[in-house]
PDB file of all heavy atoms in Angstrom:
ATOM      1  N   PRO J   9     -49.207  18.318 -40.766  1.00 98.00           N
ATOM      2  CA  PRO J   9     -48.128  17.469 -41.161  1.00 98.00           C
ATOM      3  C   PRO J   9     -47.230  17.119 -39.997  1.00 98.00           C
ATOM      4  O   PRO J   9     -46.987  18.095 -39.140  1.00 98.00           O
ATOM      5  CB  PRO J   9     -47.368  18.165 -42.251  1.00 98.00           C
ATOM      6  CG  PRO J   9     -47.905  19.663 -42.260  1.00 98.00           C
ATOM      7  CD  PRO J   9     -49.311  19.593 -41.487  1.00 98.00           C
ATOM      8  N   ARG J  10     -46.800  15.938 -39.960  1.00 98.00           N
ATOM      9  CA  ARG J  10     -45.922  15.511 -38.823  1.00 98.00           C
ATOM     10  C   ARG J  10     -44.372  15.688 -39.223  1.00 98.00           C
ATOM     11  O   ARG J  10     -43.963  15.009 -40.262  1.00 98.00           O
ATOM     12  CB  ARG J  10     -46.158  14.012 -38.460  1.00 98.00           C
ATOM     13  CG  ARG J  10     -45.220  13.626 -37.319  1.00 98.00           C
ATOM     14  CD  ARG J  10     -45.542  12.047 -37.007  1.00 98.00           C
ATOM     15  NE  ARG J  10     -46.863  11.880 -36.259  1.00 98.00           N
ATOM     16  CZ  ARG J  10     -47.602  10.862 -36.340  1.00 98.00           C
ATOM     17  NH1 ARG J  10     -47.044   9.735 -36.983  1.00 98.00           N
ATOM     18  NH2 ARG J  10     -48.628  10.686 -35.616  1.00 98.00           N
ATOM     19  N   VAL J  11     -43.552  16.391 -38.417  1.00 98.00           N
ATOM     20  CA  VAL J  11     -42.215  16.513 -38.648  1.00 98.00           C
ATOM     21  C   VAL J  11     -41.493  15.716 -37.537  1.00 98.00           C
ATOM     22  O   VAL J  11     -41.775  15.853 -36.335  1.00 98.00           O
ATOM     23  CB  VAL J  11     -41.742  17.977 -38.415  1.00 98.00           C
ATOM     24  CG1 VAL J  11     -40.185  18.121 -38.591  1.00 98.00           C
ATOM     25  CG2 VAL J  11     -42.544  18.952 -39.301  1.00 98.00           C
ATOM     26  N   VAL J  12     -40.727  14.668 -37.910  1.00 98.00           N
ATOM     27  CA  VAL J  12     -39.984  13.918 -37.088  1.00 98.00           C
ATOM     28  C   VAL J  12     -38.495  14.309 -37.037  1.00 98.00           C
ATOM     29  O   VAL J  12     -37.933  14.348 -38.031  1.00 98.00           O
ATOM     30  CB  VAL J  12     -40.121  12.444 -37.360  1.00 98.00           C
ATOM     31  CG1 VAL J  12     -39.187  11.472 -36.473  1.00 98.00           C
ATOM     32  CG2 VAL J  12     -41.508  11.887 -37.232  1.00 98.00           C
ATOM     33  N   ILE J  13     -38.022  14.733 -35.843  1.00 98.00           N
ATOM     34  CA  ILE J  13     -36.694  15.215 -35.729  1.00 98.00           C
ATOM     35  C   ILE J  13     -35.903  14.207 -34.897  1.00 98.00           C
ATOM     36  O   ILE J  13     -36.422  13.702 -33.853  1.00 98.00           O
ATOM     37  CB  ILE J  13     -36.591  16.506 -34.886  1.00 98.00           C
ATOM     38  CG1 ILE J  13     -37.480  17.654 -35.530  1.00 98.00           C
ATOM     39  CG2 ILE J  13     -35.198  17.073 -34.754  1.00 98.00           C
ATOM     40  CD1 ILE J  13     -37.695  18.884 -34.673  1.00 98.00           C
ATOM     41  N   ILE J  14     -34.858  13.714 -35.544  1.00 98.00           N
ATOM     42  CA  ILE J  14     -34.040  12.701 -34.796  1.00 98.00           C
ATOM     43  C   ILE J  14     -32.849  13.453 -34.206  1.00 98.00           C
ATOM     44  O   ILE J  14     -31.898  13.810 -34.838  1.00 98.00           O
ATOM     45  CB  ILE J  14     -33.477  11.547 -35.817  1.00 98.00           C
ATOM     46  CG1 ILE J  14     -34.697  11.017 -36.766  1.00 98.00           C
ATOM     47  CG2 ILE J  14     -32.854  10.511 -35.020  1.00 98.00           C
ATOM     48  CD1 ILE J  14     -34.214  10.004 -37.596  1.00 98.00           C
ATOM     49  N   GLY J  15     -32.869  13.552 -32.857  1.00 98.00           N
ATOM     50  CA  GLY J  15     -31.775  14.159 -32.183  1.00 98.00           C
ATOM     51  C   GLY J  15     -32.031  15.578 -31.484  1.00 98.00           C
ATOM     52  O   GLY J  15     -32.614  16.431 -32.112  1.00 98.00           O
ATOM     53  N   GLY J  16     -31.826  15.601 -30.162  1.00 98.00           N
ATOM     54  CA  GLY J  16     -32.142  16.721 -29.412  1.00 98.00           C
ATOM     55  C   GLY J  16     -30.911  17.560 -29.028  1.00 98.00           C
ATOM     56  O   GLY J  16     -30.785  18.077 -27.996  1.00 98.00           O
ATOM     57  N   GLY J  17     -30.070  17.591 -29.959  1.00 97.00           N
ATOM     58  CA  GLY J  17     -28.847  18.503 -29.801  1.00 97.00           C
ATOM     59  C   GLY J  17     -29.247  19.972 -30.254  1.00 97.00           C
ATOM     60  O   GLY J  17     -30.447  20.361 -30.209  1.00 97.00           O
ATOM     61  N   PHE J  18     -28.175  20.628 -30.584  1.00 97.00           N
ATOM     62  CA  PHE J  18     -28.409  22.094 -30.885  1.00 97.00           C
ATOM     63  C   PHE J  18     -29.305  22.266 -32.079  1.00 97.00           C
ATOM     64  O   PHE J  18     -30.215  23.133 -32.025  1.00 97.00           O
ATOM     65  CB  PHE J  18     -27.055  22.795 -31.090  1.00 97.00           C
ATOM     66  CG  PHE J  18     -26.237  23.097 -29.911  1.00 97.00           C
ATOM     67  CD1 PHE J  18     -25.011  22.360 -29.668  1.00 97.00           C
ATOM     68  CD2 PHE J  18     -26.555  23.949 -28.955  1.00 97.00           C
ATOM     69  CE1 PHE J  18     -24.301  22.467 -28.558  1.00 97.00           C
ATOM     70  CE2 PHE J  18     -25.783  24.089 -27.840  1.00 97.00           C
ATOM     71  CZ  PHE J  18     -24.650  23.341 -27.607  1.00 97.00           C
ATOM     72  N   GLY J  19     -29.137  21.530 -33.085  1.00 98.00           N
ATOM     73  CA  GLY J  19     -29.871  21.669 -34.355  1.00 98.00           C
ATOM     74  C   GLY J  19     -31.398  21.303 -34.170  1.00 98.00           C
ATOM     75  O   GLY J  19     -32.263  22.039 -34.403  1.00 98.00           O
ATOM     76  N   GLY J  20     -31.520  20.100 -33.524  1.00 98.00           N
ATOM     77  CA  GLY J  20     -32.944  19.645 -33.334  1.00 98.00           C
ATOM     78  C   GLY J  20     -33.777  20.599 -32.440  1.00 98.00           C
ATOM     79  O   GLY J  20     -34.903  20.826 -32.699  1.00 98.00           O
ATOM     80  N   ILE J  21     -33.188  20.993 -31.284  1.00 98.00           N
ATOM     81  CA  ILE J  21     -33.845  21.842 -30.421  1.00 98.00           C
ATOM     82  C   ILE J  21     -34.192  23.192 -31.045  1.00 98.00           C
ATOM     83  O   ILE J  21     -35.269  23.757 -30.917  1.00 98.00           O
ATOM     84  CB  ILE J  21     -33.013  21.987 -29.092  1.00 98.00           C
ATOM     85  CG1 ILE J  21     -32.804  20.747 -28.384  1.00 98.00           C
ATOM     86  CG2 ILE J  21     -33.652  23.205 -28.250  1.00 98.00           C
ATOM     87  CD1 ILE J  21     -33.863  20.375 -27.395  1.00 98.00           C
TER      88      ILE J  21
END
Side-chain angles (χ1 to χ4, degrees):
Chain J
R10 178 182 289 159
V11 181
V12 174
I13 308 172
I14 311 177
F18 288 108
I21 296 277

